[in-house]
Amino acid sequence: MVSKCGKSCYFVFVIGFSTLMTGFLGEYEVAIDAKGRFLLPSGFRKQLPEGTAERFVINRGFENCLTLYPIDSWNVLAEKLNRLNDFNPKVREFKRLFLNGANMVDVDSAGRLLLPKQLQEYAGIKKDMVFSAQGNKVELWEKDTYYEYIKKTAAGFSDLAAEVAGGDFINPFENL
């Protein structure tokens, strides 16, 4: 599915593995108010496709961060999860851990989202948060934890790229 997000910007949302997907970009620092609300960064809001409902799902992510999915991305993921075999104990365990705490949230009239208290506690987010785009989703991190994680893992980035992308990676700069 292709959605227009502005005069010259398009997003391609994927339901298969063979299609190239374009998604969200950027890293933003945001503040959490006393009630657990945060303003969606304007740079992120500009990337939302026109006509997109401002409804999201927030759940626990990996490495003690949270994951924010636009509702369309969440629905594609939920469909895949629902096709997993519940007779497999590992599938049941994964679904419990992954889906536990998932909350649907809507953008309020002031452009804010409410970060549910239990998720805020899980990620250790008190006041300052990093909003880190990850393609079709966003990771929400406690600010100091995020920068420590990036600093710790950055030294191995080249080796990680070789391991993950390896020979399967299509070099976009090849043949220029």
Side-chain angles (χ1 to χ4, degrees), residues 49-64:
E50 275 183 35
T52 298
E54 292 191 350
R55 174 169 277 186
F56 299 87
V57 172
I58 298 177
N59 75 330
R60 291 178 178 94
F62 304 110
E63 292 84 35
N64 282 55

Side-chain angles (χ1 to χ4, degrees), residues 10 29 36 48 53 104 125 129 144 150 152 161 163 170 173:
Y10 289 87
E29 291 185 11
L48 290 170
M104 194 169 299
I125 299 170
M129 181 173 74
D144 292 337
I150 294 298
K152 182 177 103 178
E163 183 179 333
I170 298 170
F173 303 109

